[in-house]
Amino acid sequence: MSDEVTPDRIAAMAAAARVPISPEACVSVTRSVMPTVARLSAHPITLALETEPSSFTVVQRREIRR
Amino acid sequence: MSDVTALSLAEIAAAIRTRKVSSVEVTRALLARIAAWQPTLNCFVRLEAEAALAQAAAADAALARGDTVGALHGVPLAHKDMYYVEGALAECGSRIRKGFVAPATSTALVRLAAAGTVRLGALHMAEFAYGPTGHNAHLGPAHNAWDPTRITGGSSSGSGTAVAARLTYAALGSDTGGSIRLPAHFCGVTGLKPTYGRVSRANAMPLSFSLDTVGPLARSAEDCSLILAEIAGADPDDPTTAGAPGWDVRKTRRSVSDLAIGIPSAFYTDDLDADVARTFDDTLATLRRLGVRTVAVALPDQAAVSAAARVVLAAEATSLHAPWLRTRPEDYGPQVRARLENGLAFSAVEYLEALRWRGPALAEHLAAIGDVDAVITPASTSAAPTIVETDVGAGPDAEAAIAAITSFMRPVNYLGLPGLVVPAGWSAGGLPIGMQLIGRPFGDETLIALGAAFQAVTDHHRKAPPDR
């Protein structure tokens, strides 16, 4: 995950999503998400090519047989 | 009978079934209690008194005829205002869904109706279930039955405080980031967030389809089990439940003397206030006296897991709400709108990386806990704070305040694990404190067994707030 979030990035993302947002809100979002972004940047996620969201279900369902 | 509202769900179901008391008498007693408490708690958003009394009368007539009845026949219950009933309002704590009439009935409510329950009405909730405190910009806050100046926790705010005040024997909540477990902790009731995929979410309001779970708040672990016995299991209308096992009540009654629980060496023991730390130690001592083996476990980086949960929740919630964010953003409360805007920060690649990591993260968690049957943690760092001090709205410190309240909750949602919160002690000021048991996937019944064993030798769950 990028370790840099800026109000400009938020404004661009909101425009792409066609959601109106004020410049002040872009600043607020930047501040709010920074701890999450920083934490994930400090813990890089390395995923195998074959990993998909449903890989979670595979791991979870193994426990039914436990 | 003496005060029927003081009985547990198990006790009242048995009393009605054996005709020691009628469903109409029980319903009337609850309605009287609701009338007394509602001005203080603000926990009901709609009371359906006439319909409830009619259902209760029909339930009594069925018993008089000798009809075969369900396990919860004639028991009045109320639920969070996000469970749809065909043709009835489900306003989800919002202005946007004011007047929304549900097109179909939620599977959970279909199953509870089949068990014979009577519907009392709908309960307060955070707007669109997106808030952990019990504040609501449109409805006003729900109030804690133990101290009305305190928060209930959320988002199942009305469910928590209504069960605590003995206004309903149990209530459905939902848990995407702690929304069953936090009200259970702050209100002094028992709450079970089931394994993801164990209970159908069909026709319940979604918040984050990868994290949402449906479960009960009740007066005891045994009462939670009674609800799960009705609502757990596969449902063709919710594909995440495919292959999910039905509820096995025998497992909930097993001995706990051969069970092992893990005690995290970090994260969940950081920054606890003295009351919570003391309660945690007392709970461990009680469990050891029951023969439960305790072992230290070093969990993977829980702060990273929690951060991944926030990305998934934010992106999915914003996706669901994007049409209204585009057309009527001013109709959200300030905090909910701000939190939905936070979801705009994450790209599709970032969201999918967070979602794809769930499987490896769960495998890592299971490897870390080894063979233990559950992990025990506090539910939060403190007992209920005041409504005033947590009224942060959309202010600059809102997200940090929310993160602090929910920090012990989010990993459980991200990993899809079951979590049971049981009342375990009291603050110096007389507020309830809950402890959280985190199970293995589909180990929900084991959590109930541990909770029931704990509650068999403690009385925290039997205490009710003084009448006001």
Side-chain angles (χ1 to χ4, degrees):
Chain A
M1 175 170 280
S2 164
D3 61 358
E4 186 179 359
V5 178
T6 63
D8 286 346
R9 169 180 149 127
I10 302 303
M13 300 277 277
R18 292 175 287 118
V19 171
I21 189 168
S22 68
E24 297 75 22
C26 290
V27 173
S28 174
V29 171
T30 302
R31 178 181 169 137
S32 292
V33 304
M34 195 60 83
T36 298
V37 169
R39 170 53 68 176
L40 287 174
S41 296
H43 187 111
I45 297 172
T46 305
L47 296 167
L49 179 68
E50 296 79 7
T51 305
E52 56 182 270
S54 63
S55 302
F56 165 75
T57 307
V58 174
V59 178
Q60 185 201 44
R61 298 301 165 109
R62 284 184 197 132
E63 287 277 318
I64 293 178
R65 297 189 295 271
R66 186 174 186 268
Chain B
M1 293 186 76
S2 56
D3 183 7
V4 294
T5 66
L7 300 179
S8 70
L9 176 61
E11 291 164 342
I12 199 65
I16 293 172
R17 192 166 52 249
T18 56
R19 302 180 70 184
K20 292 192 172 81
V21 64
S22 72
S23 177
V24 167
E25 289 172 302
V26 174
T27 303
R28 284 199 177 119
L30 287 173
L31 290 171
R33 197 166 171 84
I34 291 164
W37 275 91
Q38 171 67 9
T40 302
L41 301 183
N42 189 30
C43 58
F44 272 81
V45 294
R46 282 187 307 286
L47 190 59
E48 300 163 8
E50 284 188 24
L53 286 167
Q55 289 175 43
D60 289 335
L63 278 173
R65 287 193 303 268
D67 291 357
T68 302
V69 298
L72 301 176
H73 185 81
V75 177
L77 299 178
H79 306 292
K80 189 174 183 178
D81 190 23
M82 55 168 277
Y83 289 96
Y84 303 166
V85 175
E86 183 179 1
L89 292 173
E91 296 181 319
C92 308
S94 70
R95 177 182 294 162
I96 284 177
R97 275 209 154 168
K98 189 83 181 162
F100 172 72
V101 176
T105 303
S106 65
T107 298
L109 289 191
V110 167
R111 291 177 175 180
L112 286 175
T117 62
V118 168
R119 180 178 166 84
L120 281 170
L123 296 169
H124 185 282
M125 58 183 284
E127 182 181 3
F128 289 117
Y130 211 5
T133 57
H135 289 86
N136 183 307
H138 311 296
L139 304 172
H143 297 262
N144 192 311
W146 291 94
D147 177 349
T149 69
R150 305 276 169 170
I151 66 166
T152 57
S155 63
S156 309
S157 38
S159 302
T161 200
V163 171
R166 294 357 189 193
L167 309 186
T168 178
Y169 296 97
L172 290 181
S174 67
D175 196 318
T176 306
S179 288
I180 288 172
R181 292 162 290 151
L182 284 170
H185 161 67
F186 289 129
C187 295
V189 302
T190 304
L192 176 65
K193 174 226 172 283
T195 299
Y196 180 80
R198 193 80 197 266
V199 177
S200 172
R201 306 153 306 146
N203 290 309
M205 182 213 78
L207 175 61
S208 167
F209 36 82
S210 297
L211 305 176
D212 291 340
T213 54
V214 168
L217 296 96
R219 302 181 192 178
S220 69
E222 180 190 16
D223 287 357
C224 286
S225 177
L226 285 174
I227 298 291
L228 263 291
E230 302 302 328
I231 65 175
D235 172 20
D237 289 335
D238 181 351
T240 67
T241 63
W247 193 249
D248 187 343
V249 72
R250 291 169 306 165
K251 290 182 180 174
T252 69
R253 295 172 179 158
R254 60 164 295 167
S255 165
V256 300
S257 62
D258 61 340
L259 296 181
I261 59 171
I263 305 171
S265 52
F267 186 76
Y268 294 100
T269 49
D270 298 343
D271 303 322
L272 303 182
D273 81 9
D275 291 327
V276 174
R278 171 180 45 77
T279 303
F280 188 49
D281 291 342
D282 291 347
T283 305
L284 290 175
T286 301
L287 290 169
R288 287 176 182 131
R289 282 197 296 276
L290 290 166
V292 176
R293 185 166 55 91
T294 57
V295 295
V297 292
L299 298 176
D301 183 348
Q302 296 293 280
V305 172
S306 193
R310 285 198 293 273
V311 173
V312 171
L313 168 58
E316 292 186 356
T318 302
S319 167
L320 292 175
H321 284 269
W324 289 323
L325 283 171
R326 292 174 187 133
T327 57
R328 45 189 303 194
E330 69 283 355
D331 286 337
Y332 289 101
Q335 186 182 90
V336 172
R337 179 178 177 181
R339 296 191 75 194
L340 289 169
E341 288 172 343
N342 290 343
L344 297 166
F346 305 109
S347 70
V349 170
E350 290 164 340
Y351 161 63
L352 285 168
E353 282 188 333
L355 199 58
R356 289 170 63 221
W357 189 43
R358 285 182 93 194
L362 177 58
E364 201 178 340
H365 174 86
L366 293 172
I369 67 172
D371 285 332
V372 305
D373 300 284
V375 171
I376 187 167
T377 77
S380 192
T381 56
S382 72
T386 67
I387 289 171
V388 170
E389 69 188 307
T390 51
D391 189 15
V392 291
D397 299 323
E399 199 62 27
I402 290 165
I405 289 172
T406 58
S407 61
F408 297 165
M409 300 282 112
R410 294 189 184 283
V412 175
N413 297 89
Y414 184 73
L415 300 174
L417 301 170
L420 177 74
V421 167
V422 293
W426 304 89
S427 72
L431 296 169
I433 293 172
M435 288 292 136
Q436 175 174 230
L437 291 159
I438 302 170
R440 305 181 72 94
F442 300 101
D444 311 59
E445 288 95 332
T446 301
L447 297 186
I448 294 292
L450 283 162
F454 179 77
Q455 290 179 333
V457 297
T458 60
D459 66 354
H460 308 297
H461 65 294
R462 295 190 186 282
K463 293 181 178 168
D467 284 339
R468 295 181 188 277

